[in-house]
Amino acid sequence: MADLEDGESIEVQGSGSSRYLLRNVGEVYSCTCPAWRNQSHAIDKRTCKHLKALRGEAAELTRVGAPTPGTSSTSATSASRASGGRAAASASSAQAPPLLLANPWDNAQDLSGWWMSEKLDGVRAYWDGKAFISRLGNRYHAPPWFTSGLPDTPLDGELWGGRKRFQRTISIVRRQDQSDHWKEIAFVVFDAPALDAPFEDRVEHLKQLFATQSAPHARAHDHELCRDLPHLRTELSRVEALGGEGLMLRKPGSRYEPGRSITLLKVKSFFDAEALVIDHQAGAGRHAGRLGALLVELPDGTRFSVGTGFSDKERASPPPRGAIVTFRYQELSDAGVPRFPSYVAVRDDIRWPPDNAELRRAVPHPPSDTLAEGGKAARATPGASADTKKNSLDETASTASTESATTTDSSASADGSASADSSASTDSSASTASAGSATPTTSTTPTSAGTPAGTSSQPTTPAASSSTRRFEFTDGTSSKFWEIEVSNRQYTVRYGRLGTTGQSKTKEAASEEAARREAAKLVDEKTGKGYVER
């Protein structure tokens, strides 16, 4: 029978009109069909008729440790052990570990005296004394040399490959072949769940543990006291300027309590959320012949396009229909659509819809400082989009925006050619949707996990359409970006240095057609000055 080499994928025809993608990543075989996605087993224990048809039923049943026809379960287990590790056991019950989970900061609570640390953009991992366990209870197959020296007591931390390497980190830790790629990963420990003591004592315990224990691939995470709000914002800007994700704040004297807690808060300049891939939209211009944008759907049925944040390799082989992806965005529009969404990664460690989708709530923007622009002071307004529509986003994925430099000035020029400073820097990849992509937003019943890929409920109420385009200019002395978004009669320009959040201006035209004409003029001006569309 045919098989897939490590890293290979193949698209197959389903029983109807749908097509599904089969993959092998580090000896973990997956399929995008609903039957594979909806199983409650660990991901390395799942199979489906498409994988059986490709690899052979006997080979698949042996891989997942199930008895083949005419074979006892005992002999099947023996065959599995003899297969060179292909059916290496994961957490048999796939029971989720008792993790302490964070809430987003509400931008109002005084965090003076709280313990502050960098929010690591890696993979959450619970060391149970013998193995690394994911949030869903699946095992990460780290090599013995990686786990050497770790204690036989629980540790809570992050498998981290460095800043801006989230996708690479995921691809390594979900492998089952215990490869040398793990040399790129560190286990950064930020808590000791089994120690019933205040947070300060648990941190001191970790410092002493790794000072005396030989675990070369693990270390305790650094924490410092937050003095006040300016200190918090300064540290956030520093971390994000380095490519970090944000900050975590721990309440002094707090205990480790499984579940979502108000003693652990996350602070970021951009929001994160998860969405379901519904379809692929063809690219144009430099992206002709490959992915232009993903059409994605939120748990509440809201649909929009994500067109930036992809590498050339990801555009050539995009996330399949039915995949769960994380995206980053600046804020919600008045119609409830994420603005300036940017692709982050495929997620294999969460279910759809997210398991805590009921914990949705609005997170208001913080008070903004006065920004100097063009020689005059412009007061940045709190995000007007922090309304009830923001309840549609998963709270685990949503994080507080901390210095949104959004200004509304109907009389000011929307040129924005000058480079602008921003008090909260972030990765320049967190940008906009693809060029000219205009996707109608619909409010529908949430798609269930069992909905075939590429299908959805019909919209009940058409909402506002929006499109966003991004341009960049780089020469020997300057590196700038410029973005424009049209939504109904409004058009918004965002601009600044590459690597910063920049600032934005919004103007309102007499009609949507007029807004698009004005946007086209501004685009012509920018391209005439040497800006290149991305």
Side-chain angles (χ1 to χ4, degrees):
M1 301 296 292
D3 203 351
L4 297 173
E5 296 297 326
D6 185 14
E8 283 188 339
S9 62
I10 185 173
E11 192 172 50
V12 299
Q13 181 68 51
S15 56
S17 59
S18 299
R19 298 183 65 83
Y20 303 115
L21 190 71
L22 310 184
R23 286 183 178 179
N24 173 16
V25 179
E27 304 302 335
V28 175
Y29 288 81
S30 64
C31 179
T32 57
C33 72
W36 188 93
R37 295 200 320 266
N38 296 337
Q39 292 177 40
S40 59
H41 306 302
I43 59 172
D44 60 314
K45 293 294 186 180
R46 301 180 191 178
T47 188
C48 65
K49 65 180 182 181
H50 307 109
L51 287 169
K52 291 175 182 177
L54 175 72
R55 306 188 66 244
E57 184 172 11
E60 268 298 276
L61 293 179
T62 298
R63 180 180 68 84
V64 299
T68 57
T71 305
S72 67
S73 59
T74 302
S75 60
T77 302
S78 299
S80 173
R81 289 173 178 169
S83 65
R86 284 192 169 225
S90 64
S92 59
S93 62
Q95 182 175 355
L99 295 179
L100 169 63
L101 303 176
N103 275 302
W105 180 46
D106 63 4
N107 298 287
Q109 184 177 357
D110 184 7
L111 299 181
S112 301
W114 284 50
W115 292 98
M116 182 168 58
S117 64
E118 179 176 349
K119 187 180 189 304
L120 302 177
D121 195 11
V123 177
R124 184 78 173 270
Y126 183 90
W127 172 256
D128 66 0
K130 297 179 180 179
F132 290 117
I133 307 299
S134 77
R135 287 182 57 174
L136 295 183
N138 300 321
R139 179 178 172 182
Y140 294 128
H141 297 270
W145 53 261
F146 187 91
T147 59
S148 176
L150 289 178
D152 58 2
T153 56
L155 299 173
D156 188 3
E158 199 96 354
L159 292 170
W160 192 53
R163 301 182 182 103
K164 299 184 180 181
R165 289 172 56 85
F166 179 61
Q167 186 68 68
R168 175 64 175 169
T169 300
I170 288 181
S171 69
I172 292 173
V173 304
R174 70 183 180 184
R175 299 174 68 98
Q176 286 200 2
D177 55 0
Q178 300 183 332
S179 71
D180 284 347
H181 292 96
W182 279 80
K183 292 179 180 178
E184 303 176 31
I185 306 298
F187 182 42
V188 184
V189 184
F190 41 71
D191 218 324
L195 185 62
D196 184 18
F199 178 66
E200 294 82 354
D201 293 346
R202 301 199 303 274
V203 170
E204 186 60 31
H205 168 74
L206 293 175
K207 290 180 180 178
Q208 294 178 7
L209 177 68
F210 289 105
T212 59
Q213 197 135 354
S214 176
H217 301 285
R219 67 175 186 269
H221 198 23
D222 294 328
H223 295 80
E224 67 171 311
L225 279 175
C226 176
R227 297 189 299 271
D228 49 28
L229 181 59
H231 183 205
L232 173 69
R233 288 180 171 169
T234 299
E235 181 63 11
L236 179 65
S237 295
R238 184 190 71 83
V239 166
E240 291 184 333
L242 293 172
E245 188 180 7
L247 299 176
M248 301 297 294
L249 276 295
R250 293 296 302 266
K251 185 177 181 180
S254 58
R255 254 51 179 194
Y256 193 98
E257 50 182 6
R260 202 158 298 280
S261 173
I262 60 173
T263 66
L264 178 63
L265 303 177
K266 50 190 173 184
V267 181
K268 297 171 64 177
S269 290
F270 273 75
F271 295 87
D272 282 351
E274 274 70 53
L276 188 69
V277 176
I278 300 300
D279 205 352
H280 298 157
Q281 297 176 336
R286 65 185 293 263
H287 297 315
R290 56 183 180 173
L291 178 73
L294 293 177
L295 176 63
V296 300
E297 182 176 272
L298 296 176
D300 73 338
T302 298
R303 291 189 175 188
F304 58 96
S305 295
V306 179
T308 62
F310 303 98
S311 66
D312 288 343
K313 183 178 180 180
E314 288 164 336
R315 288 191 184 277
S317 181
R321 298 170 182 85
I324 303 171
V325 298
T326 292
F327 67 95
R328 186 163 294 153
Y329 67 103
Q330 187 179 32
E331 60 182 354
L332 291 179
S333 71
D334 290 339
V337 180
R339 299 184 64 194
F340 307 114
S342 177
Y343 170 78
V344 177
V346 173
R347 297 296 299 270
D348 289 334
D349 59 337
I350 61 174
R351 299 182 179 90
W352 186 262
D355 56 7
N356 63 334
E358 72 279 7
L359 298 176
R360 302 163 185 161
R361 67 178 183 180
V363 181
H365 287 255
S368 300
D369 295 332
T370 299
L371 299 176
E373 195 278 329
K376 66 178 183 179
R379 186 68 179 176
T381 62
S385 61
D387 54 16
T388 55
K389 186 64 178 177
K390 191 167 290 185
N391 293 344
S392 65
L393 294 178
D394 177 6
E395 184 182 66
T396 58
S398 299
T399 52
S401 173
T402 59
E403 287 282 32
S404 177
T406 304
T407 58
T408 302
D409 184 356
S410 59
S411 62
S413 169
D415 179 11
S417 59
S419 176
D421 291 338
S422 172
S423 59
S425 301
T426 190
D427 181 3
S428 62
S429 67
S431 51
T432 68
S434 64
S437 61
T439 306
T441 303
T442 62
S443 178
T444 65
T445 302
T447 301
S448 67
T451 302
T455 65
S456 64
S457 55
Q458 293 299 316
T460 56
T461 305
S465 63
S466 65
S467 61
T468 309
R469 301 177 69 178
R470 177 184 175 90
F471 300 81
E472 294 179 3
F473 178 82
T474 304
D475 60 15
T477 59
S478 179
S479 296
K480 300 179 288 187
F481 74 89
W482 184 85
E483 299 169 350
I484 188 162
E485 177 187 38
V486 178
S487 180
N488 287 332
R489 296 189 302 166
Q490 291 185 335
Y491 57 98
T492 300
V493 168
R494 190 163 70 97
Y495 57 94
R497 290 196 302 268
L498 286 174
T500 72
T501 55
Q503 57 183 331
S504 59
K505 292 181 178 180
T506 298
K507 295 184 69 175
E508 186 167 327
S511 64
E512 182 174 352
E513 182 180 356
R516 295 190 179 279
R517 285 199 303 267
E518 291 300 319
K521 289 181 183 179
L522 293 175
V523 168
D524 289 341
E525 291 178 8
K526 286 298 171 186
T527 54
K529 294 179 180 179
Y531 279 74
V532 178
E533 188 162 8
R534 299 299 184 187

